């Protein structure tokens, strides 16, 4: 802040109670847990004092759930942290799983490479090299591979960070995140390189140095592989398939969630609607004169060719809310009897602009003036809650001791703050009867064609009416809804990318193991073909071998998927984490990819010339 003003200068702090932060410095030796417990005791006492002697059961339940959350001020206050921390934690897990698949892949490659180095290692051991020294040498080689990969990863991350921020921002607004390279990132990357080098290097190193030097030197330079090493390679592929299946299901869940949210019934028609945010503070005109300019401006815009309807409103979708307690007529006005609902000041054509269906009654019109009876339009949830089992039309409710409204219209429920939200009760009042002294922030316009074509003309109209009135933001309602799904898009896009990457890595790992197994069994395959085995039989045998590995991986991946579903349930919408069709689809995709990866080495084995195969040593 550039300046501070005492809160006591406010005539009333009531409008500020929803925006104030509680700030305190803890005494030496007091923990955050103790401060939080003491604060919440005081908070509960205050809630009960405000609620009165006999609060309504609904109010009691709300008070029981209410609490003050204390956080360290050193972290600052960030809506971004609240919005993106859980999705980014999930993405961090996905990145870690992809890293594990990559490590298993490289470990398998090193195991295969170890067969060609058996004589070299045996010779070193025969010349007196200790196992500890050989393990150190092999780990140094794997660490060099990891460091080289980490260096390339850092280069890729320079552009990758920009791509990630573009995905988070959604294109319409920039998210102010400082995500460049720094010492902490470099140290983290270096530590990660050391860890991955150990992960994919430790098993091949110990496996290779565990051979018996004498027999290995006597075997010559032929390709050899112990059964244990072959089993270890298959176990690594089983793990890869399990992780790939887990990631594929996760990607499908997040993609389905995004698809469900984009196709959800939000209660209004977002297409062909333009939203302009006006900054009335920029205007030198104030009070009634400004309101007259707003009325003339709205009339001019409504007459523009190509404009179907236009209206002012206090807030639009995903812009926060005005919330107020409501008391039906005949009920004593007290905190215990009031129910809280969302409210909005709107113009006569607001529901026409938004495409919200009118169920019964009417919208606002010329008869609704500051001198006439105040009227309101309510949605279905509001009507069911305030006027159960009866028509809301003609009924009256109060927003305060003197603010009485008559319900003249009933509209369908809509989403007001989030596509995910459950049905919320809402009421709408006329901005002609309750004019805002400083004007209205939102101007919403429905057009006959794409709204982008009308932006310049509408801006000119605003400038002609009031040159001082600034337009702080312009976007379509489609963009406004899309912006509210930034978190879901982040998860879906990156989870989908990591799922495909995991599928590719697992397929490469399976291909490598099957190809290596075929190469190791070339002599055996030649003998079988010489004894009359048909190529189709050889191919079927190779594919069945890969199916066993994939089947075990799918079983483990299914157990992991079912066990971890509850951790991502809060991020899903319209789908269960254990959806059978989705899981079956992921299994079929992985199985098909695995068979395709196994087909090439299987076909190569089936086309072997028996004479050439028998000469292979």
């Amino acid at each position: 802040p550039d300046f501070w003003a005492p809160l006591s200068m406010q005539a009333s702090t009531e409008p500020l109670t929803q925006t104030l932060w509680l700030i305190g410095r803890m005494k030496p030796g007091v923990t955050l847990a103790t401060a939080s417990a003491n604060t919440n005791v005081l908070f509960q006492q205050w809630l009960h004092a405000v609620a009165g002697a006999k609060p309504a059961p609904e109010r009691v339940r709300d008070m029981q759930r209410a609490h003050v959350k204390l956080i360290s001020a050193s972290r600052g206050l960030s809506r971004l942290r609240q919005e993106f921390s859980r999705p980014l934690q999930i993405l961090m897990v996905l990145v870690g799983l992809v890293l594990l698949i990559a490590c298993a892949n490289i470990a398998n490659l090193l195991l295969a490479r170890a067969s060609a180095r058996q004589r070299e290692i045996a010779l070193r051991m025969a010349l007196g090299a200790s196992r500890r020294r050989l393990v150190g040498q092999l780990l140094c080689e794997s660490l060099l591979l990891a460091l080289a990969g980490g260096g390339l990863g850092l280069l890729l991350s320079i552009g990758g960070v920009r791509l990630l921020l573009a995905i988070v921002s959604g294109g319409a607004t920039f998210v102010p995140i400082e995500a460049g390279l720094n010492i902490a990132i470099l140290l983290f990357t270096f530590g990660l390189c050391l860890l991955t080098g150990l992960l994919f290097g430790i098993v091949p190193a110990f496996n290779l140095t565990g051979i018996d030097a004498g027999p290995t030197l006597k075997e010559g330079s032929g390709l050899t592989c112990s059964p244990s090493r072959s089993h270890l390679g298959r176990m690594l592929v089983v793990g890869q398939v399990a992780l790939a299946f887990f990631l594929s299901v996760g990607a499908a869940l997040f993609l389905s969630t995004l698809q469900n949210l984009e196709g959800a019934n939000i209660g209004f028609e977002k297409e062909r609607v333009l939203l302009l945010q006006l900054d009335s503070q920029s205007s030198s005109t104030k009070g009634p004169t400004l309101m007259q300019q707003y009325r003339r401006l709205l009339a001019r815009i409504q007459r523009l060719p190509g404009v179907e309807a236009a209206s002012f409103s206090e807030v639009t979708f995903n812009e926060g809310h005005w919330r107020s307690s409501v008391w039906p007529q005949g009920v004593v006005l007290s905190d215990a009897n009031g129910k809280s609902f969302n409210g909005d000041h709107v113009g006569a054509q607001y529901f026409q602009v938004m495409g919200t269906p009118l169920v019964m009654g009417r919208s606002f019109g010329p008869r609704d003036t500051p001198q006439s009876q105040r009227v309101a339009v309510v949605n279905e949830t509001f009507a069911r809650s305030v006027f159960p089992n009866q028509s809301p039309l003609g009924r009256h409710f109060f927003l305060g001791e003197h603010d009485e409204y008559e319900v003249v219209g009933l509209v369908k429920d809509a989403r007001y703050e989030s596509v995910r939200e459950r049905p919320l009760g809402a009421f709408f009042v006329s901005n002609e009867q309750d004019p805002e002294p400083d004007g209205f922030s939102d101007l919403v316009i429905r057009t006959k064609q794409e709204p982008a074509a009308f932006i310049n003309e509408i801006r000119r109209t605003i400038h002609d009416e009031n040159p001082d009135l600034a337009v702080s933001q312009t976007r379509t309602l489609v963009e406004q809804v899309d912006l509210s799904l930034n978190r879901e898009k982040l998860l879906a896009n990156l989870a989908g990318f990591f799922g495909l990457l995991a599928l590719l890595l697992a397929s490469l790992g399976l291909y490598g193991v099957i190809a290596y197994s075929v190469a190791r069994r070339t002599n055996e395959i030649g003998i079988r073909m010489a004894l009359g085995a048909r190529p189709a039989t050889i191919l079927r045998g190779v594919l069945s071998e890969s199916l066993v590995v994939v089947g075990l991986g799918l079983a483990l991946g299914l157990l992991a998927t079912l066990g971890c579903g509850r951790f991502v349930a809060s991020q899903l919408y319209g789908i269960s984490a254990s959806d059978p069709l989705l899981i079956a689809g992921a299994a079929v995709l992985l199985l098909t990819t695995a068979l395709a990866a196994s087909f090439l080495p299987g076909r190569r084995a089936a086309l072997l010339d028996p004479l050439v195969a028998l000469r292979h040593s």
Side-chain angles (χ1 to χ4, degrees):
D2 292 318
F3 68 93
W4 291 261
L7 189 62
S8 57
M9 288 179 64
Q10 294 287 338
S12 170
T13 58
E14 185 178 353
L16 300 173
T17 53
Q18 294 185 6
T19 58
L20 291 177
W21 295 97
L22 179 67
I23 304 173
R25 180 174 293 279
M26 294 189 297
K27 294 179 180 179
V30 176
T31 64
L32 190 63
T34 303
S36 180
N38 293 338
T39 302
N40 277 286
V41 168
L42 292 173
F43 181 55
Q44 287 294 326
Q45 292 173 354
W46 177 76
L47 286 176
H48 282 82
V50 171
K54 295 181 179 180
E58 182 183 358
R59 184 68 177 270
V60 173
R61 288 193 298 270
D62 289 341
M63 290 191 299
Q64 289 173 346
R65 289 194 297 264
H67 67 281
V68 174
K69 182 179 179 181
L70 299 187
I71 61 172
S72 172
S74 63
R75 299 175 60 195
L77 297 168
S78 173
R79 180 175 171 268
L80 289 174
R81 182 184 299 115
Q82 181 181 2
E83 183 177 357
F84 290 107
S85 59
R86 188 59 184 273
L88 290 176
Q89 288 166 5
I90 293 174
L91 289 173
M92 198 68 177
V93 172
L94 299 183
V95 171
L97 294 178
V98 171
L99 186 62
L100 281 178
I101 294 175
C103 288
N105 234 343
I106 300 173
N108 249 331
L109 292 173
L110 292 180
L111 279 173
R113 184 169 175 263
S115 298
R117 300 186 64 184
Q118 284 183 1
R119 267 184 70 80
E120 172 202 339
I121 298 300
L123 187 60
R124 289 174 181 270
M125 294 175 70
L127 293 174
S130 66
R131 187 180 187 187
R132 178 180 176 182
R133 183 167 183 175
L134 290 172
V135 168
Q137 176 193 332
L138 294 171
L139 285 179
C140 281
E141 294 175 4
S142 63
L143 288 174
L144 284 174
L145 281 174
L147 289 171
L152 289 174
L154 281 175
L155 293 176
L156 289 173
S157 71
I158 296 173
V161 166
R162 296 193 185 98
L163 177 62
L164 179 62
L165 288 179
I167 294 173
V168 174
S169 300
T173 59
F174 176 72
V175 175
I177 296 177
E178 179 62 39
L181 296 180
N182 52 44
I183 295 297
I185 295 296
L186 293 175
L187 291 176
F188 174 79
T189 306
F190 180 71
L192 197 62
C193 290
L194 295 180
L195 177 62
T196 54
L198 291 173
L199 275 176
F200 67 71
I202 193 75
V203 174
F206 276 99
N207 214 293
L208 184 56
T209 57
I211 60 175
D212 190 343
T216 302
L217 289 172
K218 293 176 183 177
E219 286 176 0
S221 60
L223 185 65
T224 62
C225 184
S226 67
S228 63
R229 186 171 298 128
S230 179
H231 293 325
L232 180 59
R234 283 174 171 77
M235 286 172 57
L236 288 172
V237 174
V238 167
Q240 284 181 279
V241 172
L243 292 175
F245 177 71
F246 180 79
L247 287 170
S248 299
V249 172
L253 285 172
F254 293 130
L255 287 168
S256 297
T257 292
L258 179 61
Q259 187 177 20
N260 291 340
L261 287 169
E262 289 179 334
N265 179 16
I266 53 180
F268 56 85
E269 298 174 9
K270 59 184 179 180
E271 290 76 16
R272 297 186 291 109
V273 176
L274 189 63
L275 168 62
L276 295 93
Q277 291 184 340
L278 306 180
D279 182 11
S280 59
Q281 299 298 321
S282 64
S283 175
S284 57
T285 308
K286 304 292 181 183
T289 306
L290 178 63
M291 290 307 301
Q292 288 294 333
Q293 287 183 341
Y294 268 73
R295 292 187 184 97
R296 291 196 300 268
L297 171 62
L298 186 61
R300 290 181 61 176
I301 291 176
Q302 289 171 345
R303 291 194 299 268
L304 288 176
V307 172
E308 287 186 2
S311 172
F312 287 113
S313 66
E314 184 175 358
V315 292
T316 314
F317 176 80
N318 198 35
E319 288 186 346
H321 59 266
W322 161 43
R323 201 160 181 84
S324 177
S325 293
V326 170
W327 294 269
Q329 190 177 36
V331 172
V332 177
L333 272 67
S334 68
D335 288 336
N337 296 327
K339 294 183 179 180
S340 184
F341 296 98
N342 280 12
D344 198 0
H345 291 87
V346 301
Q349 295 186 354
Y350 178 77
F351 301 108
Q352 184 181 348
V353 173
M354 298 298 290
T356 304
L358 188 68
V359 178
M360 63 173 67
R362 65 176 179 87
S363 181
F364 305 117
R367 74 183 82 169
D368 304 316
T369 65
Q371 291 75 34
S372 64
Q373 166 67 49
R374 289 186 175 184
V375 296
V377 175
V378 302
N379 71 354
E380 294 171 314
T381 298
F382 180 100
R384 284 193 298 268
S385 179
V386 180
F387 309 109
N389 304 318
Q390 55 187 314
S391 171
L393 296 185
R395 304 285 176 180
H396 290 241
F397 66 85
F398 289 83
L399 296 183
E401 186 175 352
H402 304 292
D403 297 333
E404 181 182 356
Y405 292 85
E406 178 186 349
V407 178
V408 296
L410 177 69
V411 294
K412 285 278 189 182
D413 285 342
R415 311 291 170 89
Y416 306 107
E417 300 176 41
S418 165
V419 178
R420 287 177 175 268
E421 74 184 17
R422 57 181 176 79
L424 295 176
F427 63 91
F428 304 86
V429 297
S430 169
N431 58 20
E432 285 293 331
Q433 291 188 319
D434 291 290
E436 289 288 327
D438 295 326
F440 297 99
S441 60
D442 284 4
L443 173 61
V444 285
I445 303 165
R446 176 168 292 278
T447 60
K448 296 178 181 178
Q449 290 87 31
E450 282 301 312
F454 296 85
I455 292 176
N456 291 335
E457 188 172 5
I458 291 170
R459 281 181 172 273
R460 280 196 299 270
T461 304
I462 295 172
H463 184 268
D464 290 344
E465 185 61 45
N466 186 340
D468 295 339
L469 186 60
V471 179
S472 59
Q473 199 167 61
T474 303
R475 65 167 63 111
T476 65
L477 193 55
V478 170
E479 291 174 336
Q480 184 80 349
V481 174
D482 286 346
L483 280 174
S484 71
L485 299 177
N486 271 351
R487 182 179 63 182
E488 286 76 10
K489 288 181 179 179
L490 173 72
L491 271 175
N493 292 337
L494 293 183
F497 170 74
F498 291 135
L500 289 174
L501 184 59
L503 198 62
L504 175 62
L505 290 174
S507 301
L508 290 175
L510 182 63
Y511 170 82
V513 166
I514 298 300
Y516 177 67
S517 175
V518 168
R520 185 173 57 84
R521 295 168 53 197
T522 300
N523 199 268
E524 171 204 334
I525 293 170
I527 293 173
R528 293 177 63 188
M529 296 184 73
L531 293 175
R534 298 173 62 85
T537 306
I538 300 297
L539 177 60
R540 190 162 51 249
V542 173
L543 293 179
S544 63
E545 179 184 350
S546 67
L547 283 177
V548 171
V549 174
V550 173
L552 288 173
L554 289 177
L556 290 176
L558 179 61
L559 291 176
T561 300
L562 297 177
C564 297
R566 65 181 184 275
F567 296 111
V568 298
S570 63
Q571 305 295 317
L572 304 180
Y573 179 84
I575 193 168
S576 168
S578 57
D579 185 88
L581 290 178
L582 189 145
I583 291 175
V588 169
L589 175 63
L590 192 59
L591 194 60
T592 304
T593 306
L595 287 175
S598 307
F599 180 78
L600 289 177
R603 184 172 180 274
R604 193 179 300 121
L607 297 178
L608 277 175
D609 186 340
L611 294 177
V612 175
L614 287 171
R615 294 194 195 102
H616 193 276
S617 58

